[in-house]
Amino acid sequence: MSAFEDRTRRCQQRLSAVGADAAVLFPSTNLFYASGFREEPGERHLFLVIPSDGDPAFVAPEMYDAQIRDASWVEDLRLWSDGDDPAQVVADLAAEFEIRGGHLLVDDTMWARFTQDLRETLPEATFGLASEVFDDLRMRKDDAELDSLRRAGEVADRVSVEIRELGEEAIGMTETELADEIERRLAAAGGEEVAFGTIAGSGPNGAKPHHRHEDREIRRGDPVVLDFGASVDGYPGDQTRTVVFAGDPPEGYEEVHETVRKAQQAAIEATEPGVPAEEIDRAAREVIENAGYGEEFVHRTGHGVGLDVHEDPYIVAGNETELEAGMVFSVEPGIYLPGEFGVRIEDLVVVTESGCERLNDSPRTWESL
Ligand code: ZN
Ligand code: ZN
């Protein structure tokens, strides 16, 4: 059984457990997770219908025939051509699967025009969200997923080292030029595409956690927050280092950097099965609060990472989810001093039976390499 089929079978068990009759997926990370077929959302009807038992089926435009057969283990394809009424294909499939009046979980990211269409086509059905079964399933990664995430981690590590070796060469580059250089190297290192907008925040721009990059030139002594990653098999890398490429850092920087590094280390040491997610946030926050920077740590400590770069489990106060082996998330505390600089250090970790394994291992020091 392929990893994708295995995930579909586990999805079916959960559908039954929550009293749902089928999941109806739209081109999304859930659809890829279950089928192996990856596509961007588009204006044509393309669904994967997973009944709570039996085999799943695609409803798809005819032009996708070969593409789906190559990518997916799902053999049942209900194809329609431009000019046909795809709603009729959906209605026929629902009748055959005996889910016309059932409880259907639709993809959370399905476009409203398609959910509306499903409601009109299946007026007796009731609807819920596919996240009800998929969020929990996807939180524990299988071996194939961990392998992809490890490789995405290696890509980020390699580029992290290469970029830090620029040293003096980075002085005078704009943030945008540096971000372009990072993205070029991510591709050269084997990344498929950037996993999110690359962040190169120099000097005061580093104090804005979601600043991306602009035309500000990097100066000697500037701390630069570098947060980037590329995906491998659809699984993202996500790593942050804060670097001074050349010159002396601003006053107080070394202490702030060391505080963040210790906070990150404390959170990683706290990570093991059975510990509530919020305790990991607490471990990092305590170090930063004790150093007097509690007010300047303005975001949660981390987020789960999988086919979506932000997914469960969130490492945040109030999340009592107990960690289990196979969960993957970021540990990324930061301190942000408005108008001056910011520091963030981020690695992805996978929870193991006895603790955790880091998926990133490039140096966490601030000096150029
Ligand atoms: Zn990041
Ligand atoms: Zn992150």
Side-chain angles (χ1 to χ4, degrees):
M1 194 187 291
S2 73
F4 295 104
E5 180 176 357
D6 179 60
R7 293 169 198 163
T8 300
R9 300 303 173 198
R10 282 187 281 132
C11 165
Q12 291 180 305
Q13 288 165 8
R14 283 187 189 250
L15 285 169
S16 301
V18 302
D21 297 289
V24 183
L25 306 179
F26 180 63
S28 67
T29 49
N30 285 335
L31 185 144
F32 172 58
Y33 180 80
S35 73
F37 173 63
R38 237 194 294 183
E39 178 57 312
E40 297 297 315
E43 80 283 8
R44 290 185 174 87
H45 285 64
L46 201 172
F47 300 131
L48 174 66
V49 181
I50 304 177
S52 56
D53 64 357
D55 285 326
F58 271 102
V59 170
E62 193 174 16
M63 62 181 185
Y64 280 99
D65 190 3
Q67 213 175 322
I68 293 175
R69 286 187 199 284
D70 280 353
S72 179
W73 68 277
V74 176
E75 288 171 1
D76 188 352
L77 271 56
R78 312 294 173 102
L79 302 170
W80 58 273
S81 311
D82 286 343
D84 291 350
D85 177 12
Q88 190 57 48
V89 181
V90 173
D92 291 346
L93 180 70
E96 192 185 318
F97 280 12
E98 297 178 349
I99 55 173
R100 267 192 306 187
H103 185 55
L104 310 180
L105 303 185
V106 300
D107 233 324
D108 296 41
T109 55
M110 185 182 287
W111 291 353
R113 51 180 286 203
F114 290 112
T115 57
Q116 188 63 20
D117 198 69
L118 284 174
R119 283 178 198 280
E120 283 168 14
T121 306
L122 306 171
E124 288 155 41
T126 57
F127 294 90
L129 295 176
S131 52
E132 192 180 341
V133 295
F134 278 92
D135 282 5
D136 202 47
L137 264 183
R138 285 174 47 178
M139 204 156 41
R140 289 165 214 77
K141 271 61 184 176
D142 58 39
D143 289 345
E145 296 184 283
L146 291 176
D147 182 55
S148 303
L149 284 160
R150 281 193 188 96
R151 285 188 288 133
E154 285 164 14
V155 169
D157 275 349
R158 192 169 132 192
V159 175
S160 179
V161 169
E162 287 176 8
I163 287 296
R164 294 178 58 164
E165 284 171 351
L166 288 176
E168 197 73 48
E169 274 179 71
I171 307 304
M173 283 173 85
T174 66
E175 293 173 352
T176 299
E177 286 166 347
L178 188 62
D180 287 348
E181 184 65 27
I182 288 169
E183 293 180 6
R184 201 178 59 69
R185 288 172 188 255
L186 285 169
E192 285 162 4
E193 56 189 339
V194 292
F196 53 89
T198 298
I199 293 176
S202 63
N205 285 340
K208 306 168 207 160
H210 271 177
H211 171 85
R212 291 209 171 157
H213 50 80
E214 56 170 47
D215 56 7
R216 184 183 185 281
E217 286 184 7
I218 292 156
R219 302 171 198 163
R220 295 179 67 79
D222 272 349
V224 187
V225 176
L226 301 169
D227 185 351
F228 57 81
S231 57
V232 170
D233 307 330
Y235 288 82
D238 184 7
Q239 179 193 79
T240 308
R241 297 291 182 262
T242 305
V243 182
V244 176
F245 285 100
D248 295 326
E251 208 183 311
Y253 172 75
E254 289 182 61
E255 182 215 332
V256 168
H257 190 278
E258 184 59 9
T259 302
V260 173
R261 197 194 59 74
K262 282 184 180 156
Q264 207 240 9
Q265 184 63 27
I268 281 174
E269 284 169 11
T271 298
E272 59 181 14
V275 176
E278 64 179 357
E279 288 299 317
I280 310 308
D281 181 77
R282 188 79 261 171
R285 207 162 293 278
E286 223 161 61
V287 173
I288 290 176
E289 281 171 359
N290 289 344
Y293 293 105
E295 299 285 305
E296 284 76 34
F297 179 13
V298 291
H299 55 71
R300 64 190 175 215
T301 294
H303 52 86
V305 173
L307 286 172
D308 289 312
V309 71
H310 291 158
E311 59 176 48
D312 285 333
Y314 290 93
I315 308 303
V316 63
N319 185 0
E320 295 170 6
T321 303
E322 287 187 9
L323 299 181
E324 289 176 42
M327 290 181 179
V328 174
F329 54 85
S330 70
V331 179
E332 51 179 308
I335 294 176
Y336 306 92
L337 306 179
E340 296 181 55
F341 60 84
V343 174
R344 179 167 65 254
I345 300 176
E346 172 180 28
D347 292 311
L348 300 187
V349 298
V350 51
V351 181
T352 62
E353 297 297 339
S354 58
C356 74
E357 168 197 339
R358 289 188 202 246
L359 299 180
N360 300 104
D361 210 20
S362 75
R364 291 173 198 87
T365 49
W366 58 264
E367 295 92 342
S368 194
L369 297 173

